[in-house]
Amino acid sequence: MDIETLRGSFTGRLLTDAADMAPFLTDWRGKWTGQALAVAQPRDTEGVAAIVRWCHSHGVPVVPQGGNTGLSGGATPDASGRALVLSLVRLDRIRSVDAVTNTIEVEAGATLQRVQEAAREAGRLFPLSLAAEGSCTLGGNLATNAGGVQVLRYGNARELCLGLEVVTADGSVWSALRRLRKDNTGYDLRDLYIGSEGTLGVITAAVLKLFPLPKAQAVAFVAVPSPRAAVELLQLAQEQLSSSLTAFELMSDTCLALVERHVPSARLPLPERSPWYVLMEVSEAQEGERASAGLQALLELAFDQGLATDAALSASLAQFQSLWALREDISESQGAEGPTIKHDISLPISRIADFIESTDAALAQAFPETRLVVFGHVGDGNLHYNLSPAAGDATPERRDRFKSLEEPINRLVHDAVIAHEGSISAEHGLGVLRREEAALYKSPIELQLMRAIKQALDPRGLMNPGKSIGD
Ligand code: FAD
């Protein structure tokens, strides 16, 4: 097979030089590196279709890639060098906004931030929001069913998507860019492609829901004594603030200490340290003081009930942003500290405190040389239950020993997740990271149904093979 026969068949770039391809062959964490036959960057849907048809007729595996910020290795090719990386970042137009239907149509390679900005220019909110938003793409968000910090109020990527355009595994274009909130006409193919991590087809465009822009927002950074108190505070906040509550994030003091160490501008807004903190955001449709007044009233109740010990409220946009930055800088700060073992888990909210108490204790006993770095979207029952080597453990031998603990630690944590009726992947997908483990925990019938879907939509098994769970 001659890769040059592909070059003239689409508009865009085809990279075959090793140095040009390198940035597309390693994931964001630097955890996985692969090889590829080529990296293709088409400019339009027809180009994507032409590339996939070429791959289909030559038996070449296709690895779709967006912003390459995924945390499960789903966008990295394997080591064989047989696959083609299909990078969508040049397919990035904002196609249209329908202000009456409250929808926006965008191409898969548009970054999440650009989509948010385009919505804002039209006087609307596109609420999906996560720390990688400057680089991750809408196609990647949909392929991983991304979550982020506003799921509590607006839902995850799946809930924000009305229509899709997909290049199927054989290179056909399925255009279903519908703007309908109600459509019960058979199996929901859209929902199959969302969250399929590039293993069923390539998402080339989507119609997304828009919302009114909030007129006023405020955030509170709250010291809480324990995760149990945080969950009780969440209930109180939902009672008091109802749908005005747009985010509810939990962070341990260890997380904040890492941010302070690695981000020079970071400052904790409270005089005393606390073992845990909550970041709560309120959004209001009306201008004025209602957002901060609502938070203040809630905090008074929380102090009275012993659920919070101190709090700082944003009084300006700059403060709002710097309080959010403390939460958003945790991932990168943990990475800067050294090797990490990450768990993106979800639990029924009522089980979170029990899970943290018992699993923290079990880890401390079995692996005393580790340090827990726990934070997450507690309002959605989603924890990033991560580990780093114990503080000061910087020798290469100790780091190697830490890395060798990944498998037994995963088993301990994920067995506890399943015992608490949770999921081992809340928002990052399975990729290669969780593929084998998911197969362990899923029932035979669920695996059989998933494999039947993969077989039906990608019978030659060329779409992102070895990722997620279908093959
Ligand atoms: P990529 O990493 O390029 O790809 C991810 C997967 O999607 C791969 O399997 C790939 O094959 C597939 N894919 C990509 N584009 C397409 C397409 N057009 N069609 C079909 N398949 C495709 N995630 C969250 O959910 N919530 C968070 O809060 C969050 N925070 C993060 C913070 C940081 C600092 C970082 C680095 C990542 C974070 N992530 C988070 C993970 C990541 O940003 C998301 O998974 C994001 O949705 C991935 O988008 P991407 O464009 O980078 O996809």
Side-chain angles (χ1 to χ4, degrees):
M1 161 225 340
D2 180 5
I3 186 74
E4 292 309 316
T5 59
L6 175 61
R7 199 176 289 280
S9 69
F10 68 97
T11 313
R13 292 204 304 177
L14 185 71
L15 311 175
T16 49
D17 181 77
D20 293 341
M21 290 198 290
F24 303 90
L25 304 182
T26 297
D27 75 302
W28 183 84
R29 285 166 76 187
K31 195 173 165 70
W32 297 276
T33 298
Q35 300 296 325
L37 183 66
V39 175
Q41 292 191 314
R43 283 196 171 281
D44 48 32
T45 301
E46 295 70 37
V48 175
I51 293 163
V52 174
R53 275 198 301 275
W54 185 90
C55 289
H56 190 253
S57 63
H58 290 84
V60 170
V62 180
V63 180
Q65 189 178 93
N68 201 14
T69 67
L71 299 173
S72 304
T76 309
D78 67 15
S80 69
R82 287 181 52 239
L84 178 132
V85 174
L86 179 50
S87 162
L88 279 306
V89 292
R90 295 193 152 207
L91 188 76
D92 67 347
R93 285 182 314 135
I94 306 292
R95 288 186 182 165
S96 61
V97 173
D98 178 343
V100 176
T101 316
N102 270 319
T103 55
I104 186 167
E105 185 177 317
V106 306
E107 291 183 342
T111 63
L112 173 54
Q113 192 172 323
R114 267 198 65 218
V115 177
Q116 293 166 343
E117 284 165 4
R120 204 169 302 126
E121 277 160 27
R124 300 288 186 276
L125 172 74
F126 180 62
L128 191 69
S129 174
L130 43 113
E133 62 202 21
S135 313
C136 66
T137 63
L138 238 297
N141 298 152
L142 290 167
T144 57
N145 187 21
V149 293
Q150 305 269 348
V151 174
L152 180 64
R153 166 72 177 81
Y154 299 101
N156 50 23
R158 182 187 303 283
E159 288 159 276
L160 297 171
C161 177
L162 292 175
L164 279 188
E165 180 186 83
V166 170
V167 170
T168 64
D170 66 357
S172 308
V173 179
W174 172 54
S175 183
L177 290 164
R178 300 176 186 132
R179 285 170 287 169
L180 306 175
R181 278 149 215 269
K182 293 191 169 182
D183 176 19
N184 282 350
T185 51
Y187 302 131
D188 199 328
L189 298 176
R190 174 196 57 185
D191 269 356
L192 276 183
Y193 285 105
I194 296 173
S196 67
E197 299 181 66
T199 62
L200 300 180
V202 185
I203 296 169
T204 49
V207 174
L208 306 164
K209 289 183 195 168
L210 298 179
F211 295 81
L213 266 178
K215 297 272 177 16
Q217 284 185 301
V219 73
F221 184 90
V222 188
V224 295
S226 63
R228 200 168 291 281
V231 170
E232 286 181 42
L233 179 60
L234 170 66
Q235 282 172 273
L236 188 66
Q238 284 175 321
E239 273 166 32
Q240 298 292 314
L241 303 167
S242 185
S243 60
S244 305
L245 183 68
T246 37
F248 193 97
E249 300 284 310
L250 178 72
M251 300 158 274
S252 71
D253 190 48
T254 311
C255 299
L256 274 299
L258 288 176
V259 174
E260 286 173 300
R261 181 163 331 135
H262 295 287
V263 181
S265 59
R267 294 277 170 283
L268 225 61
L270 304 175
E272 303 279 332
R273 298 202 84 92
S274 166
W276 295 89
Y277 306 91
V278 160
L279 190 78
M280 252 190 287
E281 183 192 79
V282 166
S283 306
E284 292 288 352
Q286 308 299 328
E287 282 181 28
E289 299 302 307
R290 236 176 95 180
S292 36
L295 270 177
Q296 238 149 8
L298 168 73
L299 288 170
E300 275 161 33
L301 283 175
F303 293 139
D304 287 349
Q305 296 180 19
L307 302 179
T309 52
D310 200 358
L313 239 75
S314 62
S316 64
L317 182 62
Q319 281 174 2
F320 180 90
Q321 287 166 341
S322 69
L323 290 178
W324 261 120
L326 289 172
R327 162 65 184 86
E328 281 167 354
D329 288 338
I330 296 173
S331 268
E332 296 215 29
S333 301
Q334 195 194 359
E337 183 80 356
T340 57
I341 298 176
K342 298 196 175 201
H343 307 104
D344 165 42
I345 59 172
S346 71
L347 297 152
I349 294 173
S350 57
R351 305 292 291 269
I352 286 177
D354 286 346
F355 169 86
I356 293 181
E357 282 167 18
S358 58
T359 315
D360 281 16
L363 283 169
Q365 195 181 20
F367 306 103
E369 62 276 59
T370 61
R371 179 175 23 156
L372 272 161
V373 180
V374 178
F375 59 102
H377 318 296
V378 159
D380 320 320
N382 178 191
L383 289 179
H384 298 309
Y385 193 79
N386 297 347
L387 293 98
S388 287
D393 246 359
T395 63
E397 297 73 34
R398 289 201 166 151
R399 284 170 176 236
D400 287 348
R401 157 115 181 109
F402 175 79
K403 288 186 203 159
S404 75
L405 298 177
E406 181 154 4
E407 227 179 284
I409 287 179
N410 287 349
R411 188 63 47 248
L412 188 158
V413 171
H414 288 152
D415 283 353
V417 168
I418 299 301
H420 285 83
E421 298 168 24
S423 163
I424 65 163
S425 179
E427 58 177 11
H428 294 165
L430 299 175
V432 280
L433 179 67
R434 296 284 173 245
R435 173 185 155 89
E436 306 299 332
E437 280 175 280
L440 266 183
Y441 290 118
K442 293 227 176 256
S443 68
I445 180 72
E446 201 169 347
L447 289 172
Q448 188 190 320
L449 290 169
M450 287 190 179
R451 287 179 182 137
I453 290 167
K454 170 76 174 174
Q455 180 61 30
L457 297 187
D458 178 24
R460 296 193 63 190
L462 292 175
M463 291 307 310
N464 216 0
K467 313 290 173 52
S468 191
I469 207 165
D471 54 1

